Amino acid sequence: PLLATLHPMTVMERKANLLSWFYLGITLTNFSLFLPPIVALTSGPKNAVRQTQPPSQNKDKTPPSHLQVKIASSITKGERRSEERQAKSRSLCPGCNRPAVICVCDSLPPQKLSTRTQLLVLQHPNEFRKKTFSTVPLMSLVLENIQVQRDYEFEVKDLPIVQEYLDRGQRPLLLFPGDEAISLDGFGPFNKEAEQEEATIVETNSKVIETLVGIQKQDNLLIVMDGTWAEAKRMALGSEDLVNACQQVQFTAPATCLYDAVRKEPEGHCLSTLEACAQSLVLLEGAHEAATYLKGVLQHMVDIQLSMERNRQDDPRQKGKQLFERNKRRRQVEKTLFETPKPRRLADGAILRPLTVKDAESINEGWYHKSRTSLRTTQDCLEEGLACFGIENNKEDGHLCAHIVRSRDGTLGMLQVETEYRRRGYGRLLVQEASKVLKELGKPCVCFIQQGDEVAESLFGGLGWIVSEQKGAGAVKSGTTTGTTPRAAKQRWILP
């Protein structure tokens, strides 16, 4: 059809064109009839082979190298956070509720200052998490008439104080730049269009000044968005109802920004939330005292942070040392998780190696607690393969003569050495190997031993294990029976 519109075709050309499309359609139809058998022939045997393979061989459980690094880093980070939570928290100053090393009480006013302007800070949740560098907590220490709300988007109905001002016919002020924003320092709205004529500029500025004078005579609600510029823009776009209900205002920022010394601003004219509020209060009601205290407490915080940074830079090796320790621990975890331990030949010729799922049947056959479900339980434990070791004899058959298995609940068990291979230190060696792996991963070393089992108690006690608590103890006294079999209490042993 496209070619027909470019140049007229004769009747014969049209017939030939239609005939070629007709034969092409027949060819595709015939090919589609043979396509399913072809697909079946090519895919059927592969699927059949895939289904006959055991589940353990269908997929490689070892993730790629870049994921191994991420998994190991995540584990080590969790360990550091756990240590931080267990460590004693820093003492807080009762005056400013900040750690003692960054206390700002010396720069605070004797009592909170009251202003005619009510401040409402809409804080992004990400900014709330940056408590050390956030300036909003400092504002709450200086000003009395301030409220803070945290969310990603806001609506008028969710902000009672905004609804209160609207009900009495007064539009709240939203400190956010825009084409329709009124400048608090007396200039007209920012216009991105071409240069205006001088008469238009004078007329615009006169209207702005008239509106600004009316704003300065009343008690206002000033709304400020706290977050990075990207976060503030997203908050404004997601809060269209609130933005339309407010009068946008802006001002010309001063030449210097105090906050830029500890947290870089995207542009030279950008200010922190605290500095923007201080400048707005000066322009709206001439609150120079409040602005002085706000900037003073900010300067105090900046000085403390810079001093701490200089102390850290005195020893440039400290940061490198911390990074080295983190990477060392990550590599250790990565090696333990993803590198299969190599079999090790012992002095008597026996081989110490990690257990696999294939060893489940051999372990279950010789297990003195064998039951109908013990094989499946053993397979489940060996699928994880963590801290599971066995020893093969030094004969040609490679018989598994000793083993230890870590159950899915995290306890070590199924420690067994065949009778003819005892008194060779196999049990001690297996416990040491399993404990070493668990310690490297930061996992607890736990086992349960029946009370009165002197051999097991001597073995684990000699390796540094201690009794933590008694499980199922006390309730069954010595000689008491349940049915016909005496019950022995179990003791929980741990390796500190």
Side-chain angles (χ1 to χ4, degrees), residues 38 53 63 137 143-144 185 195-196 212 250 280-281 283 312 346 350 418-420 443 452 466 471:
I38 294 174
Q53 292 177 347
L143 301 177
E144 182 178 0
D185 43 16
E195 296 182 1
Q196 300 177 357
L212 182 59
Q250 62 185 14
S280 300
L281 291 176
L283 295 174
R312 284 193 292 265
L346 305 180
E418 293 184 356
T419 306
E420 60 179 299
K443 296 183 178 294
I466 59 174
K471 180 180 179 182

Side-chain angles (χ1 to χ4, degrees), residues 90-131:
R90 295 183 294 181
S91 59
L92 300 179
C93 171
C96 59
N97 198 33
R98 296 167 67 87
V101 293
I102 54 175
C103 174
V104 294
C105 289
D106 294 340
S107 58
L108 296 178
Q111 58 183 6
K112 292 185 179 182
L113 303 178
S114 178
T115 57
R116 290 192 296 110
T117 303
Q118 175 72 40
L119 284 175
L120 174 61
V121 180
L122 306 180
Q123 191 175 44
H124 195 279
N126 290 344
E127 197 68 23
F128 172 68
R129 300 186 185 101
K130 306 169 186 175
K131 297 181 181 179

Side-chain angles (χ1 to χ4, degrees), residues 341-346 350-354 389-392 426 429-430 433:
K342 296 181 180 179
R344 178 156 54 98
R345 187 171 293 277
L346 305 180
I351 298 177
L352 172 68
R353 63 172 179 83
F389 291 93
I391 296 179
E392 293 181 354
Y426 287 173
L429 181 60
L430 290 172
E433 287 295 319

Side-chain angles (χ1 to χ4, degrees), residues 82-279:
S82 178
E83 293 175 359
E84 292 174 359
R85 286 190 294 267
Q86 294 176 2
K88 185 178 180 181
S89 60
R90 295 183 294 181
S91 59
L92 300 179
C93 171
C96 59
N97 198 33
R98 296 167 67 87
V101 293
I102 54 175
C103 174
V104 294
C105 289
D106 294 340
S107 58
L108 296 178
Q111 58 183 6
K112 292 185 179 182
L113 303 178
S114 178
T115 57
R116 290 192 296 110
T117 303
Q118 175 72 40
L119 284 175
L120 174 61
V121 180
L122 306 180
Q123 191 175 44
H124 195 279
N126 290 344
E127 197 68 23
F128 172 68
R129 300 186 185 101
K130 306 169 186 175
K131 297 181 181 179
T132 305
F133 292 98
S134 178
T135 61
V136 173
L138 301 179
M139 296 168 56
S140 301
L141 296 174
V142 176
L143 301 177
E144 182 178 0
N145 300 330
I146 181 173
Q147 295 184 19
V148 181
Q149 298 288 338
R150 300 179 184 91
D151 207 339
Y152 297 95
E153 299 176 358
F154 298 89
E155 294 184 6
V156 175
K157 63 180 181 180
D158 299 329
L159 303 171
I161 188 171
V162 176
Q163 190 64 54
E164 178 184 345
Y165 274 79
L166 292 176
D167 290 342
R168 64 190 190 191
Q170 183 178 350
R171 295 181 69 188
L173 305 179
L174 175 62
L175 185 60
F176 198 82
D179 295 346
E180 302 300 327
I182 296 178
S183 182
L184 296 179
D185 43 16
F187 296 96
F190 178 72
N191 197 325
K192 296 182 180 179
E193 303 296 334
E195 296 182 1
Q196 300 177 357
E197 296 182 1
E198 184 176 355
T200 306
I201 297 175
V202 173
E203 180 182 358
T204 303
N205 286 340
S206 61
K207 291 181 180 180
V208 170
I209 293 175
E210 182 180 353
T211 305
L212 182 59
V213 170
I215 291 175
Q216 292 174 342
K217 289 182 179 180
Q218 60 187 3
D219 298 340
N220 296 288
L221 171 63
L222 180 63
I223 302 175
V224 184
M225 293 186 177
D226 181 48
T228 64
W229 276 105
E231 292 168 351
K233 290 177 182 178
R234 287 195 294 268
M235 291 168 65
L237 290 175
S239 310
E240 185 178 359
D241 178 37
L242 176 64
V243 174
N244 294 334
C246 298
Q247 172 62 60
Q248 288 182 243
V249 294
Q250 62 185 14
F251 60 84
T252 303
T256 58
C257 172
L258 300 175
Y259 195 54
D260 187 65
V262 294
R263 191 174 176 186
K264 294 298 180 182
E265 298 290 349
E267 300 291 342
H269 60 272
C270 296
L271 296 177
S272 65
T273 304
L274 181 146
E275 293 173 293
C277 290
Q279 186 72 7

